[in-house]
Amino acid sequence: MEPPVRLASTGTIIHGVSVGEVLGVSTLAEARLIAGESGLGRIVQRLNVMEVPDILAWVKPHELLLTTGYPLRNTPQSLGRLVADLDERGLSALAIKLGRYVDELPDEMVEQADRLGFPLILLPNDVGFDDILNQVLTDILNRQAAVLARAEEAHRALVQVVLAGGGLNEVAAEVAQLLDVSVAAVDGSGRVLATAGPAEHVAVLRESIAQEGPPRTPASGRARSFASVPVLAGGHHHGRIVAYSPSGAIRDSDVGILERAATVAALVVTRQEAVNAVESKYRADFLRDVLTGRAGTAERVTARARAFGWDLARPVTVLVAELDPDGDERSAQDRLVACWTAAMRRHDPRGAVAGFSHEVVAVVDASIDATRVAKDAASAFADVPPATFSTGSSRPSSGAETLPEAYSQALKAARVGRQLHGPGAVAHFDQLGVYRLLSLVNDTDELHAFVRETLGPLAADADAENADLRRTLQVLLETNLNVAETARRLHFHYNTLRYRIGKLERLLGNFTDDPHLRLNLTLALHVLRMRGI
């Protein structure tokens, strides 16, 4: 029965030397490679001596196994299976002394070693295992110490970049210099945020990222042309650090430095997010003060706006994007701000944009098509259904003094537009018609009183029949009292409609003969359509 495989930990040694380098040490000067030349790049991290027949239960990955063949002296037929078993367990190579216990290796074993790329090394008889162990392990530990020292030096250099206030550009430049590679910092959506290295190599890196991303990282211990490590902070994936070497010289130790760079990049990203959050709050507070007339003189407003990169001294239009009801405001509001910020960056980099509790306000150049900006933001926002938003735009504002009035117009346009056209509406204040005039009446109690006085019992929705009669009245007024057309629209018989007209006149008065009463009724119905505004 085969002994169980013991998948032991690799211990604290994480770096090593290749089999080819092991053959270069002085104690193995007379050693000879007899098979598996294609595996000389395998990494040796530890050494082991084969003293018992059930050695497979005790081997570990990346080991160089030394043997005299003593455990196999009575079962030479097991040599044929040994290479495959050792390769399966991740060993690096087998070094054997012939002549004392095993005279020769079977052809099957040599052929299998060549086929698997598993190095078979013939050791000279005058070299002791202790000398080999001492010299190779010394080289491994020296290599480990050098790698750790290099990693520590890289870590100090990267931390210094952050302490000096550097960003992703400086981190990428430092990594490129440390590893002699081209580097790119990429966000979670695949957008390249920073690069460093020769222009032609950066171009290759960008192309790889734009297509399918860097090729999959090869097995441990092998050099590669590309390497990619994630940037993680606070349980969130913020992107990745990608490196490219045209000579394919990126090794595991370089990947370790990239991982340290990713940790530093995470610090940079979270620091920038914190700064952005504070700046966003200041921008929102300032813009709210401007739009409510509490920001001071026009000169002060213009000067402070310039510090945020905004130009409020030119003719502008105010846009208000308000989340429609029934959406998940907590998850949608941040996305709404991001979509409008991106749209403003494309259409008017000097425009102002800020998120309030339930809305986003943008101030754009009056010469820019506000509808296009709103549709651009809506297109980006469409990937988070079922949330939608309605947008209202103001008349052009000549300066900071008139921005509060423009904000009020845009807010009313957004709310009236939603009432008239449903969620996702885009409305301009000047296109609201009579609703624009009604929206300018600040005393809503007076408007509601006018509706009750004019429509009487038809003003309430408690009775379904009243709502039905109100619909009949609305279509009659829309058709200019054309009875035949109204009957056709409502699918009523002519006599049924005549009966309803009589009932309406008993409730409301002789509106068929009184044009002033018809005007009042029309206005009252319009006010009802604006309910909630």
Side-chain angles (χ1 to χ4, degrees):
M1 183 176 178
E2 288 288 333
V5 177
R6 186 171 66 89
L7 298 178
S9 167
T10 58
T12 58
I13 296 179
I14 59 175
H15 302 285
V17 295
S18 69
V19 175
E21 290 172 314
V22 168
L23 290 174
V25 301
S26 59
T27 55
L28 295 179
E30 302 299 323
R32 182 165 58 90
L33 180 72
I34 57 177
E37 183 177 1
S38 62
L40 289 177
R42 293 185 180 220
I43 296 300
V44 177
Q45 292 181 343
R46 56 182 55 80
L47 285 83
N48 197 354
V49 177
M50 185 177 184
E51 295 178 331
V52 292
D54 61 342
I55 188 64
L56 295 177
W58 308 102
V59 297
K60 300 174 184 178
H62 302 297
E63 278 186 344
L64 169 60
L65 185 60
L66 308 176
T67 183
T68 61
Y70 177 78
L72 304 173
R73 66 192 186 284
N74 297 323
T75 56
Q77 66 276 10
S78 62
L79 287 171
R81 299 194 309 268
L82 184 61
V83 167
D85 291 337
L86 296 178
D87 181 70
E88 182 181 348
R89 286 157 176 77
L91 265 72
S92 301
L94 174 65
I96 187 168
K97 287 185 178 182
L98 296 178
R100 187 168 184 182
Y101 301 107
V102 177
D103 293 329
E104 61 181 4
L105 299 180
D107 293 340
E108 177 189 355
M109 183 178 185
V110 176
E111 292 171 0
Q112 193 172 49
D114 278 327
R115 186 170 62 253
L116 296 174
F118 184 85
L120 287 180
I121 303 169
L122 181 61
L123 295 174
N125 289 322
D126 58 347
V127 176
F129 284 174
D130 57 340
D131 293 329
I132 298 174
L133 290 168
N134 181 60
Q135 192 166 14
V136 175
L137 284 176
T138 298
D139 283 357
I140 291 174
L141 293 175
N142 287 341
R143 178 71 58 88
Q144 169 103 346
V147 168
L148 292 177
R150 180 174 178 240
E152 184 62 27
E153 179 186 353
H155 181 72
R156 284 197 299 269
L158 291 167
V159 169
Q160 188 58 41
V161 168
V162 177
L163 294 178
L168 290 177
N169 284 316
E170 288 73 20
V171 171
E174 188 68 31
V175 174
Q177 181 177 356
L178 286 168
L179 303 182
D180 192 23
V181 295
S182 296
V183 179
V186 185
D187 68 10
S189 63
R191 185 166 60 99
V192 177
L193 303 177
T195 61
E200 62 273 18
H201 298 165
V202 169
V204 174
L205 191 55
R206 284 181 176 274
E207 183 180 356
S208 175
I209 293 169
Q211 291 175 353
E212 300 179 355
R216 180 173 294 182
T217 300
S220 174
R222 299 181 184 176
R224 66 213 72 166
S225 294
F226 288 93
S228 176
V229 296
V231 176
L232 303 173
H236 298 288
H237 188 282
H238 293 280
R240 53 201 168 114
I241 300 291
V242 187
Y244 167 64
S245 170
S247 61
I250 301 176
R251 305 196 65 87
D252 287 349
S253 58
D254 299 324
V255 175
I257 292 177
L258 285 177
E259 290 171 347
R260 291 176 180 253
T263 302
V264 172
L267 292 175
V268 173
V269 170
T270 52
R271 181 190 65 188
Q272 190 58 48
E273 286 182 346
V275 171
N276 290 343
V278 173
E279 289 183 350
S280 179
K281 181 181 184 304
Y282 278 123
R283 284 194 297 266
D285 290 345
F286 170 63
L287 189 57
R288 185 183 289 108
D289 287 344
V290 171
L291 298 177
T292 53
R294 300 196 303 265
T297 64
E299 292 78 10
R300 185 171 182 270
V301 168
T302 300
R304 287 196 61 189
R306 193 177 297 115
F308 289 120
W310 300 343
D311 184 0
L312 301 184
R314 55 184 175 165
V316 294
T317 299
V318 176
L319 298 171
V320 171
E322 193 174 50
L323 286 170
D324 294 322
D326 303 325
D328 186 352
E329 291 189 5
R330 289 174 299 179
S331 61
Q333 180 65 18
D334 290 342
R335 179 66 176 163
L336 183 65
V337 174
C339 291
W340 272 90
T341 300
M344 286 291 290
R345 192 182 298 119
R346 287 187 291 269
H347 292 273
D348 185 11
R350 295 189 300 157
V353 60
F356 298 163
S357 56
H358 301 288
E359 65 194 40
V360 173
V361 180
V363 183
V364 303
D365 192 319
S367 63
I368 293 175
D369 186 350
T371 302
R372 286 186 59 192
V373 180
K375 289 182 177 179
D376 190 1
S379 177
F381 193 71
D383 62 351
V384 285
T388 59
F389 64 88
S390 297
T391 307
S393 59
S394 71
R395 294 168 173 167
S397 170
S398 58
E401 301 93 336
T402 57
L403 282 176
E405 181 183 356
Y407 170 62
S408 177
Q409 294 170 359
L411 189 59
K412 288 173 180 175
R415 295 178 178 177
V416 173
R418 180 190 295 115
Q419 291 289 338
L420 298 181
H421 308 297
V426 179
H428 191 285
F429 185 73
D430 282 342
Q431 296 171 349
L432 299 180
V434 67
Y435 297 101
R436 184 181 78 211
L437 299 177
L438 294 174
S439 69
L440 293 174
V441 178
N442 293 323
D443 192 345
T444 55
D445 290 338
E446 189 64 32
L447 282 176
H448 295 158
F450 170 74
V451 171
R452 291 192 298 270
E453 293 167 4
T454 306
L455 295 179
L458 299 188
D461 290 330
D463 191 336
E465 183 184 5
N466 287 342
D468 194 28
L469 284 173
R470 194 166 66 233
R471 170 64 178 160
T472 301
L473 174 63
Q474 179 178 333
V475 177
L476 273 170
L477 294 173
E478 288 175 354
T479 61
N480 198 24
L481 302 182
N482 186 323
V483 178
E485 176 62 16
T486 301
R488 186 189 67 79
R489 288 193 189 181
L490 296 176
H491 307 290
F492 287 160
H493 189 274
Y494 182 84
N495 291 334
T496 301
L497 183 57
R498 296 298 309 177
Y499 169 77
R500 284 180 168 246
I501 292 174
K503 189 171 184 178
L504 285 169
E505 288 197 317
R506 288 193 295 274
L507 290 171
L508 305 174
N510 189 19
F511 65 88
T512 57
D513 293 326
D514 187 347
H516 296 291
L517 178 56
R518 289 200 297 275
L519 175 61
N520 288 342
L521 291 172
T522 300
L523 288 174
L525 290 173
H526 283 323
V527 173
L528 275 183
R529 284 192 73 184
M530 294 173 58
R531 184 176 298 163
I533 299 175

